[in-house]
Amino acid sequence: MGHHKSKSPRYPKSHLMAASGIAAALSIFLLVIPTTEVEAKKTLVQLDLQELRLEASEPALSEELDALISETVTLTSPLELTSTSESMHTTASPEVVQAGISLQPVAVEPVASVAAPAPEWNSVTVAPGDTLSILFQNAGLSANTLHAVVNSSKDAKAFTRLRVGQEVDFKMDDEGQLLGMRSKLNSLETIRIDRDGDSYAFSKDVIEPEVSTRFANGSIDSSLFLAAQNAGLSHNLTMQMANIFGYDVDFAREIRQGDSFEVLFEEKHVDDQRVGTGNILAARFTNRGKTYTAVRYTDRNGQSSYYRADGTSMRKAFIRTPVEFARISSRFNPGRRHPVLNKIRAHKGVDYAAATGTPIKATGDGRVVHVGRKGGYGNTVVIKHGQTYQTLYAHMSRYASGLRAGSNVSQGQVIGYVGATGLATGPHLHYEFQVNGTHVDPLSVKLPASDPIPQSERTAFMTLSNQLMASLDQQGATQLAQLDD
Ligand SMILES: [Zn+2]
């Protein structure tokens, strides 16, 4: 009965960022599908058409169709930042962190030793069908040694998960007994075991990559994805950009030819080799003549979020739509004839028709005040967002596991799944939005912005923001100058 034992789950702040702009991210995902999958694009276009028909007709629609299908893009290449201020990036010289536990000192490889020839590492490449057992047999090592290695620690079992093409190095003593074994898992991680008396000690070397700041910009001819790709942005960075600007720009429907972006982002290197990208540090996005800014800021508690260059929030306190890829089947209407009851009854929310089981997301951070049956609403969740706002989600087939009254939820968190419980003619979500106890149209209500940068962080933020915006200007100008040459 009671939920006295319920513990509010705690969600990391990053969850909030992740949740923001999910709509944009998903739409982008479809646009991102390789060009061979034209069908997927067509589906997206049709979805857009359906929704657009309900709204005022868009004059640029045919342009947009062309934009989605066309593949020509003006490209500008990324440019290495030559001068960066220290606060803008963390430049760590490559250093090796020993993360292993071993009581005995780990055998150290002699560096350029002229004396007794030290045992050498012999490298083996994992072939299809190879197991650690086979590699041991091939190396002339006994089953006992295999057991000793694999059972030496939980971590050592990592050596049993071999990929084809992975390299495993062995080192033996004069008698052919195993001294050590090591294998590189990726460009940053190497696992290793070393003989330690009768057993083996596991260790893991993790290289801290060097992080540098890079600049990229591009102008959109067709899709954001193609322009970003041509500008040298990874898929990950493109998704970050779509998330960051997801409240201001509808990347599926509002992108126009001539839109442009400038981005400062982290790039990771090991020994002058690029091993990946990190976070977007600052960005500008110009959509239909309007420029939006974003600055990543990490506060004193280590929490990172994006703000506009002036310190106001990029996020809105609510996302507009609680379900993805759903069709609006009934709008907010105070004088509607109810389809089941067949009499005039105000429709106090918006209905989204979607397949049973489609996830439903909390539109804002808040506290769950009701989970359960609620008359004609069927399975219903009600969330209170501070003192002013309340949202309701009805006709669910089921709730998200663990969700109960008193739970804290964050924006974008899945709270349940579309169904047809209660008075419903088919599977749909009935969504209501209340301001100070009064129902308003969720599609037209002016959504409040999230909190701006706190006063206590404002000075530090503005210093960083001015620096990054200046850097974007400077890099853009440098690149223009180079193109002119
Ligand atoms: Zn409804």
Side-chain angles (χ1 to χ4, degrees):
M1 266 296 280
H3 302 301
H4 53 281
K5 278 171 82 180
S6 76
K7 231 166 61 183
S8 321
R10 303 189 59 188
Y11 301 96
K13 276 266 173 61
S14 60
H15 192 119
L16 303 184
M17 274 317 296
S20 71
I22 272 177
L26 281 174
S27 316
I28 290 297
F29 178 73
L30 283 185
L31 292 173
V32 150
I33 290 169
T35 44
T36 46
E37 298 190 44
V38 179
E39 278 312 309
K41 287 185 173 178
K42 280 186 185 157
T43 311
L44 180 69
V45 171
Q46 275 161 9
L47 277 174
D48 284 351
L49 280 170
Q50 276 179 358
E51 293 207 29
L52 283 166
R53 234 176 266 133
L54 293 165
E55 296 163 16
S57 67
E58 281 272 352
L61 184 59
S62 60
E63 258 177 58
E64 192 177 308
L65 290 175
D66 288 342
L68 284 170
I69 293 153
S70 145
E71 284 177 32
T72 44
V73 174
T74 345
L75 62 127
T76 36
S77 56
L79 182 74
E80 183 89 42
L81 260 190
T82 42
S83 64
T84 48
S85 71
E86 279 207 320
S87 55
M88 276 171 47
H89 64 137
T90 43
T91 305
S93 46
E95 74 187 293
V96 173
V97 181
Q98 275 275 358
I101 308 150
S102 86
L103 297 172
Q104 301 280 315
V106 176
V108 177
E109 284 174 80
V111 183
S113 146
V114 202
E120 281 180 10
W121 288 103
N122 287 307
S123 190
V124 175
T125 304
V126 176
D130 274 355
T131 60
L132 190 62
S133 162
I134 292 171
L135 298 189
F136 268 56
Q137 276 173 34
N138 294 346
L141 293 166
S142 71
N144 284 342
T145 308
L146 178 68
H147 265 95
V149 166
V150 173
N151 297 320
S152 61
S153 70
K154 218 171 145 188
D155 292 327
K157 291 189 172 54
F159 278 100
T160 62
R161 295 185 286 271
L162 300 172
R163 296 182 325 271
V164 172
Q166 184 176 347
E167 299 222 324
V168 183
D169 305 338
F170 291 92
K171 187 158 68 175
M172 323 284 195
D173 64 14
D174 300 344
E175 279 125 45
Q177 297 300 306
L178 186 68
L179 278 176
M181 178 169 64
R182 67 183 183 191
S183 184
K184 199 169 178 175
L185 298 180
N186 52 54
S187 50
L188 299 179
E189 294 173 303
T190 300
I191 51 171
R192 171 171 181 155
I193 52 122
D194 289 280
R195 193 154 77 191
D196 178 18
D198 291 338
S199 186
Y200 290 89
F202 176 88
S203 61
K204 187 172 183 177
D205 294 344
V206 181
I207 299 169
E208 279 296 324
E210 191 177 326
V211 179
S212 61
T213 303
R214 299 253 299 172
F215 173 79
N217 62 358
S219 171
I220 298 171
D221 246 16
S222 54
S223 77
L224 166 69
F225 177 71
L226 285 171
Q229 197 178 44
N230 285 318
L233 292 182
S234 64
H235 177 78
N236 177 293
L237 287 170
T238 310
M239 297 302 276
Q240 277 189 44
M241 187 154 67
N243 278 331
I244 291 168
F245 292 107
Y247 285 94
D248 294 315
V249 180
D250 182 339
F251 285 97
R253 283 185 258 169
E254 291 175 354
I255 292 296
R256 296 290 179 271
Q257 186 168 28
D259 284 358
S260 60
F261 58 86
E262 299 152 276
V263 197
L264 283 173
F265 60 98
E266 296 171 325
E267 193 172 74
K268 298 174 183 172
H269 299 262
V270 174
D271 300 334
D272 291 335
Q273 223 183 336
R274 180 176 146 155
V275 294
T277 53
N279 299 303
I280 287 180
L281 300 174
R284 271 199 292 240
F285 196 94
T286 301
N287 176 232
R288 302 198 280 187
K290 190 164 182 207
T291 299
Y292 302 93
T293 54
V295 170
R296 181 185 168 87
Y297 181 75
T298 304
D299 67 18
R300 284 166 214 185
N301 302 319
Q303 298 286 349
S304 300
S305 316
Y306 289 91
Y307 295 90
R308 295 180 211 283
D310 65 0
T312 54
S313 178
M314 310 235 13
R315 300 178 58 217
K316 294 252 190 323
F318 294 91
I319 49 175
R320 187 69 73 184
T321 311
V323 276
E324 293 295 339
F325 308 120
R327 181 175 57 86
I328 294 170
S329 53
S330 178
R331 292 181 169 252
F332 188 82
N333 179 358
R336 180 185 75 150
R337 183 168 292 276
H338 192 278
V340 175
L341 301 174
N342 195 29
K343 53 186 173 192
I344 300 295
R345 204 163 109 172
H347 189 232
K348 294 177 177 174
V350 170
D351 290 348
Y352 292 94
T356 299
T358 303
I360 298 166
K361 297 176 296 188
T363 50
D365 297 350
R367 176 172 281 263
V368 174
V369 293
H370 174 92
V371 180
R373 282 274 187 188
K374 202 175 168 67
Y377 284 123
N379 294 335
T380 302
V381 171
V382 180
I383 303 174
K384 213 166 146 45
H385 313 270
Q387 291 305 303
T388 311
Y389 301 97
Q390 186 167 296
T391 53
L392 175 147
Y393 313 76
H395 308 308
M396 290 183 175
S397 54
R398 60 189 176 93
Y399 312 110
S401 65
L403 194 82
R404 44 183 59 90
S407 296
N408 286 316
V409 291
S410 45
Q411 188 179 75
Q413 185 182 335
V414 173
I415 52 171
Y417 301 88
V418 170
T421 55
L423 285 174
T425 48
H428 74 281
L429 168 69
H430 170 88
Y431 173 57
E432 291 182 9
F433 197 101
Q434 280 187 36
V435 182
N436 291 320
T438 304
H439 287 91
V440 298
D441 183 353
L443 294 174
S444 62
V445 64
K446 193 172 184 304
L447 298 174
S450 287
D451 294 336
I453 191 90
Q455 204 52 46
S456 58
E457 305 267 358
R458 190 163 174 85
T459 309
F461 172 82
M462 286 313 298
T463 306
L464 175 73
S465 175
N466 291 335
Q467 231 169 39
L468 290 173
M469 287 300 128
S471 187
L472 279 177
D473 288 339
Q474 192 197 329
Q475 292 301 319
T478 307
Q479 194 163 75
L480 271 180
Q482 284 180 349
L483 287 174
D484 283 348
D485 286 347

Short mmCIF file of all heavy atoms in Angstrom, two decimals, residues 330 336 338 347-352 377 395 428-432, ligand 1:
data_model
loop_
_atom_site.label_atom_id
_atom_site.label_comp_id
_atom_site.label_asym_id
_atom_site.label_seq_id
_atom_site.Cartn_x
_atom_site.Cartn_y
_atom_site.Cartn_z
N SER A 330 -5.78 14.89 -31.45
CA SER A 330 -6.82 15.79 -30.96
C SER A 330 -6.17 16.93 -30.21
O SER A 330 -5.29 16.71 -29.38
CB SER A 330 -7.80 15.03 -30.06
OG SER A 330 -8.77 15.92 -29.56
N ARG A 336 -15.22 20.42 -27.29
CA ARG A 336 -15.16 19.23 -28.14
C ARG A 336 -16.25 18.20 -27.79
O ARG A 336 -16.61 18.04 -26.63
CB ARG A 336 -13.78 18.57 -27.99
CG ARG A 336 -13.63 17.31 -28.84
CD ARG A 336 -12.33 16.62 -28.59
NE ARG A 336 -12.31 15.91 -27.30
CZ ARG A 336 -11.60 14.82 -27.08
NH1 ARG A 336 -10.83 14.33 -28.03
NH2 ARG A 336 -11.64 14.23 -25.91
N HIS A 338 -16.93 14.53 -27.11
CA HIS A 338 -16.07 13.44 -26.69
C HIS A 338 -16.33 12.20 -27.54
O HIS A 338 -17.48 11.79 -27.71
CB HIS A 338 -16.32 13.13 -25.21
CG HIS A 338 -15.28 12.22 -24.62
ND1 HIS A 338 -15.33 10.86 -24.77
CD2 HIS A 338 -14.16 12.49 -23.91
CE1 HIS A 338 -14.28 10.33 -24.16
NE2 HIS A 338 -13.56 11.30 -23.63
N HIS A 347 -11.91 19.38 -24.11
CA HIS A 347 -10.70 18.56 -24.20
C HIS A 347 -9.57 19.39 -23.63
O HIS A 347 -9.11 20.34 -24.26
CB HIS A 347 -10.42 18.14 -25.65
CG HIS A 347 -9.34 17.13 -25.74
ND1 HIS A 347 -8.26 17.26 -26.57
CD2 HIS A 347 -9.16 15.97 -25.05
CE1 HIS A 347 -7.47 16.21 -26.41
NE2 HIS A 347 -7.99 15.42 -25.50
N LYS A 348 -9.17 19.03 -22.43
CA LYS A 348 -8.24 19.87 -21.67
C LYS A 348 -6.78 19.59 -21.93
O LYS A 348 -5.92 20.00 -21.15
CB LYS A 348 -8.54 19.69 -20.17
CG LYS A 348 -9.89 20.21 -19.75
CD LYS A 348 -10.09 19.92 -18.28
CE LYS A 348 -11.41 20.50 -17.78
NZ LYS A 348 -11.63 20.07 -16.37
N GLY A 349 -6.51 18.83 -22.99
CA GLY A 349 -5.11 18.54 -23.28
C GLY A 349 -4.91 18.28 -24.76
O GLY A 349 -5.73 18.67 -25.58
N VAL A 350 -3.81 17.62 -25.05
CA VAL A 350 -3.51 17.26 -26.43
C VAL A 350 -3.36 15.75 -26.50
O VAL A 350 -2.77 15.15 -25.60
CB VAL A 350 -2.19 17.93 -26.91
CG1 VAL A 350 -1.74 17.37 -28.25
CG2 VAL A 350 -2.37 19.44 -27.01
N ASP A 351 -3.92 15.13 -27.55
CA ASP A 351 -3.76 13.68 -27.73
C ASP A 351 -2.70 13.42 -28.78
O ASP A 351 -2.72 14.02 -29.85
CB ASP A 351 -5.07 13.06 -28.20
CG ASP A 351 -6.13 13.05 -27.11
OD1 ASP A 351 -5.76 13.32 -25.94
OD2 ASP A 351 -7.30 12.79 -27.43
N TYR A 352 -1.82 12.50 -28.46
CA TYR A 352 -0.79 12.07 -29.40
C TYR A 352 -1.04 10.59 -29.71
O TYR A 352 -0.88 9.75 -28.83
CB TYR A 352 0.61 12.20 -28.79
CG TYR A 352 1.04 13.64 -28.58
CD1 TYR A 352 0.85 14.27 -27.35
CD2 TYR A 352 1.66 14.35 -29.60
CE1 TYR A 352 1.25 15.57 -27.14
CE2 TYR A 352 2.07 15.66 -29.40
CZ TYR A 352 1.86 16.27 -28.18
OH TYR A 352 2.27 17.56 -27.98
N TYR A 377 -9.24 8.42 -17.35
CA TYR A 377 -7.86 8.63 -17.78
C TYR A 377 -7.06 7.31 -17.82
O TYR A 377 -5.98 7.26 -18.38
CB TYR A 377 -7.12 9.56 -16.81
CG TYR A 377 -7.47 11.03 -16.94
CD1 TYR A 377 -7.94 11.75 -15.85
CD2 TYR A 377 -7.27 11.70 -18.14
CE1 TYR A 377 -8.23 13.10 -15.95
CE2 TYR A 377 -7.56 13.06 -18.25
CZ TYR A 377 -8.04 13.75 -17.15
OH TYR A 377 -8.31 15.08 -17.27
N HIS A 395 -3.82 7.33 -20.05
CA HIS A 395 -4.07 6.14 -20.90
C HIS A 395 -2.84 5.24 -21.08
O HIS A 395 -2.77 4.45 -22.03
CB HIS A 395 -4.59 6.55 -22.30
CG HIS A 395 -5.77 7.47 -22.29
ND1 HIS A 395 -6.90 7.20 -21.58
CD2 HIS A 395 -5.98 8.68 -22.89
CE1 HIS A 395 -7.78 8.19 -21.75
NE2 HIS A 395 -7.23 9.11 -22.53
N HIS A 428 -3.12 6.06 -27.40
CA HIS A 428 -2.63 7.44 -27.51
C HIS A 428 -2.25 7.97 -26.15
O HIS A 428 -2.62 7.41 -25.12
CB HIS A 428 -3.68 8.34 -28.17
CG HIS A 428 -4.86 8.69 -27.30
ND1 HIS A 428 -5.90 7.83 -27.09
CD2 HIS A 428 -5.14 9.81 -26.60
CE1 HIS A 428 -6.79 8.41 -26.30
NE2 HIS A 428 -6.34 9.62 -25.97
N LEU A 429 -1.50 9.03 -26.15
CA LEU A 429 -1.19 9.73 -24.91
C LEU A 429 -2.08 10.96 -24.83
O LEU A 429 -2.15 11.74 -25.78
CB LEU A 429 0.28 10.18 -24.87
CG LEU A 429 0.60 11.19 -23.74
CD1 LEU A 429 0.53 10.52 -22.37
CD2 LEU A 429 1.95 11.84 -23.96
N HIS A 430 -2.77 11.12 -23.71
CA HIS A 430 -3.49 12.36 -23.45
C HIS A 430 -2.62 13.15 -22.48
O HIS A 430 -2.28 12.68 -21.41
CB HIS A 430 -4.86 12.05 -22.83
CG HIS A 430 -5.57 13.25 -22.30
ND1 HIS A 430 -6.40 14.02 -23.09
CD2 HIS A 430 -5.56 13.84 -21.09
CE1 HIS A 430 -6.87 15.03 -22.35
NE2 HIS A 430 -6.37 14.93 -21.13
N TYR A 431 -2.21 14.34 -22.90
CA TYR A 431 -1.25 15.14 -22.14
C TYR A 431 -1.87 16.48 -21.74
O TYR A 431 -2.41 17.20 -22.59
CB TYR A 431 -0.01 15.37 -23.03
CG TYR A 431 1.02 16.32 -22.47
CD1 TYR A 431 1.62 16.10 -21.22
CD2 TYR A 431 1.44 17.43 -23.21
CE1 TYR A 431 2.58 16.97 -20.73
CE2 TYR A 431 2.41 18.30 -22.73
CZ TYR A 431 2.97 18.07 -21.49
OH TYR A 431 3.93 18.92 -21.00
N GLU A 432 -1.80 16.79 -20.45
CA GLU A 432 -2.35 18.06 -19.96
C GLU A 432 -1.26 18.91 -19.32
O GLU A 432 -0.31 18.38 -18.73
CB GLU A 432 -3.44 17.81 -18.90
CG GLU A 432 -4.69 17.19 -19.49
CD GLU A 432 -5.78 16.98 -18.43
OE1 GLU A 432 -5.64 17.46 -17.28
OE2 GLU A 432 -6.78 16.32 -18.78
ZN ZN B 1 -7.30 13.49 -24.76
#
